Amino acid sequence: MPASTRKTFKPQGSARAASPAPSDALSDYLTATQAAEALNVKVPSLYSYVSRGVIRSVTQPGTRARLYYREDVERAARRMGGRAGIPETVETAVRWGQPMLTTSITDLAEGGHRYRGVPALELAAAGRSFESVAELLWSGVDVPGLTLWEAAMPASDVLDRLDAAAGSSDTLTSARLMSLATAIIATAMPNKPDFERGTTVADAVSLISLYACAMGLLGPGKKVYRPTQPQPVAQLLANALIGEDATDAPTRAAHLRAINATLVICADHELSPATFAARVAASAGAELRACLHAAIVTQSGIRFGGGCERTEALLASVQTSEALRDAITGYVASGRQVPGFNPVSYPKGDPRARYLIDLASSMPKFEHNQFHALDGIFKEAQAAFDLKPRIDVGLVSVSFALGLPRRAAAAMWIIGRCAGWTAHVIEQRLAGFTMRPRAKYVSLV
């Protein structure tokens, strides 16, 4: 059923309230009682589905009750034929998406994601530094005044080798650059892993700073950025991608605020595939560098960071509503997914995308500003095709509005997400178990 024909059911009272009136039959969410009835199980069995990741749920503001995604419930009911019980745990986890892991880092709600219970959009809007948000994710301790990591200067010899290895290649994406930087810094790190040296956070700071400096290879100078003193990550990225003296002071300040807010928005998003990859590596006892590398190469897939670059290519190729409509029509006619639209986690639209598009709209207008040629046509795309922007569109919008070079949108996404990946590595190590699902063998003969 098209999402545009549905409306949200807003229950009164607990999740065990009576079923809504027939006029609410098209709600995107169900109460616990309604979901259990649809599955022909008892409510405790519904919770078993949720604990194994088969059915997603969202909190109701101001109450302890939860609502359950109708589409997940209907899919489970079709698969199970309405019978009581659940399929075996491992098969459920693998076939239905992410295994359900206990976490205290980030949760998703209809209004957006929250870090340690604090809405990420509020942290970004308040101007909280990326560094302070990373510390909140890592330790749960809120340090609002933190704006700089003092020991974040990449070693000169590492930057030299990265410059030499990258050369002037135009095929290096942000993910490939970070993979290359990770391999190079590995040669300069001690043999003992970070958890034996007690340097997990220090290593995370060094890696994130190195990744930001490496983005100079995407910038106008095509060289690794070399800071002479410690700088905030947003400033490192701005210097790498734009240059230190490319704009006047007020514009520069606006750019730094926008890049910092973007990093904050991207810092984590629960158990995405790349985050899961980092946790799997951590559960196997890999050092932080290897865990982040596992996450980076996973994020490079076309459904995530690689998809962000496809979104960038699409939006860069259109300058009018008509051009975007024609491009989307081509995708729809060929049965392909339109890059950057229709988020899975947010059926009603990605709040991160809306925030970033609004942030891009607030930037000063320049001749090179590609975003303002697109401003206003996203709503038309939603009205005409029921396409809701994902975070990819938001990131590309910010990149265009700041005049950043090609592939910078994915760079901000991945560098920001390194904070969350580090937090999940720490949490997984504390959990103390190895993630190793079993396969269900099916003969093809």
Side-chain angles (χ1 to χ4, degrees), residues 309-367:
E309 295 184 354
R310 293 188 175 198
T311 301
E312 183 177 47
L314 170 64
L315 297 183
S317 68
V318 298
Q319 298 297 316
T320 65
S321 298
E322 292 74 18
L324 181 62
R325 187 185 303 112
D326 291 343
I328 291 174
T329 300
Y331 276 96
V332 173
S334 61
R336 294 175 294 163
Q337 181 176 356
V338 182
F341 291 88
N342 285 356
V344 175
S345 299
Y346 300 102
K348 293 184 177 297
D350 191 337
R352 301 170 299 171
R354 186 70 262 162
Y355 177 89
L356 292 173
I357 292 170
D358 290 344
L359 179 63
S361 299
S362 71
M363 292 293 104
K365 298 183 180 181
F366 304 101
E367 287 185 13

Side-chain angles (χ1 to χ4, degrees), residues 337-401:
Q337 181 176 356
V338 182
F341 291 88
N342 285 356
V344 175
S345 299
Y346 300 102
K348 293 184 177 297
D350 191 337
R352 301 170 299 171
R354 186 70 262 162
Y355 177 89
L356 292 173
I357 292 170
D358 290 344
L359 179 63
S361 299
S362 71
M363 292 293 104
K365 298 183 180 181
F366 304 101
E367 287 185 13
H368 66 266
N369 192 326
Q370 293 175 283
F371 170 73
H372 290 286
L374 296 169
D375 195 11
I377 66 177
F378 297 129
K379 290 183 179 179
E380 182 174 335
Q382 180 168 343
F385 298 96
D386 194 28
L387 292 177
K388 305 174 184 68
R390 289 197 317 241
I391 188 174
D392 316 42
V393 170
L395 290 166
V396 173
S397 297
V398 171
S399 181
F400 283 179

Side-chain angles (χ1 to χ4, degrees), residues 235-247:
Q235 187 173 346
L236 287 174
L237 262 177
N239 290 339
L241 293 169
I242 306 173
E244 292 183 300
D245 304 311
T247 57

Side-chain angles (χ1 to χ4, degrees), residues 178-315:
M178 291 181 215
S179 294
L180 181 60
T182 306
I184 289 173
I185 200 174
T187 64
M189 297 180 76
N191 289 330
K192 287 186 177 180
D194 59 281
F195 51 82
E196 290 188 7
R197 291 181 283 118
T199 59
T200 300
V201 168
D203 283 8
V205 167
S206 296
L207 286 163
I208 292 172
S209 301
L210 174 63
Y211 296 153
C213 291
M215 294 307 106
L217 288 158
L218 300 179
K222 300 297 181 183
K223 292 285 186 180
V224 173
Y225 175 63
R226 297 170 180 270
T228 57
Q229 59 185 3
Q231 300 173 11
V233 175
Q235 187 173 346
L236 287 174
L237 262 177
N239 290 339
L241 293 169
I242 306 173
E244 292 183 300
D245 304 311
T247 57
D248 56 67
T251 302
R252 181 71 167 183
H255 282 192
L256 292 177
R257 288 193 297 270
I259 292 175
N260 179 80
T262 302
L263 294 173
V264 169
I265 293 297
C266 293
D268 196 47
H269 200 244
E270 203 221 43
L271 197 65
S272 69
T275 303
F276 184 44
R279 292 193 72 130
V280 170
S283 79
E287 60 183 336
L288 178 69
R289 176 190 57 80
C291 295
L292 293 188
H293 190 215
I296 289 167
V297 297
T298 304
Q299 184 75 7
S300 69
I302 62 172
R303 296 183 180 179
F304 290 90
C308 187
E309 295 184 354
R310 293 188 175 198
T311 301
E312 183 177 47
L314 170 64
L315 297 183

Side-chain angles (χ1 to χ4, degrees), residues 34-80:
Q34 293 168 332
E37 289 175 354
L39 293 167
N40 193 25
V41 299
K42 295 181 179 179
V43 170
S45 296
L46 167 68
Y47 299 152
S48 296
Y49 279 93
V50 175
S51 69
R52 288 163 172 83
V54 176
I55 295 173
R56 294 168 294 167
S57 64
V58 294
T59 57
Q60 296 184 72
T63 76
R64 298 182 62 185
R66 302 185 71 85
L67 294 176
Y68 303 86
Y69 281 73
R70 175 186 288 274
E71 60 180 310
D72 292 354
V73 173
E74 291 176 348
R75 187 184 301 115
R78 287 194 300 269
R79 176 120 190 271
M80 298 302 298

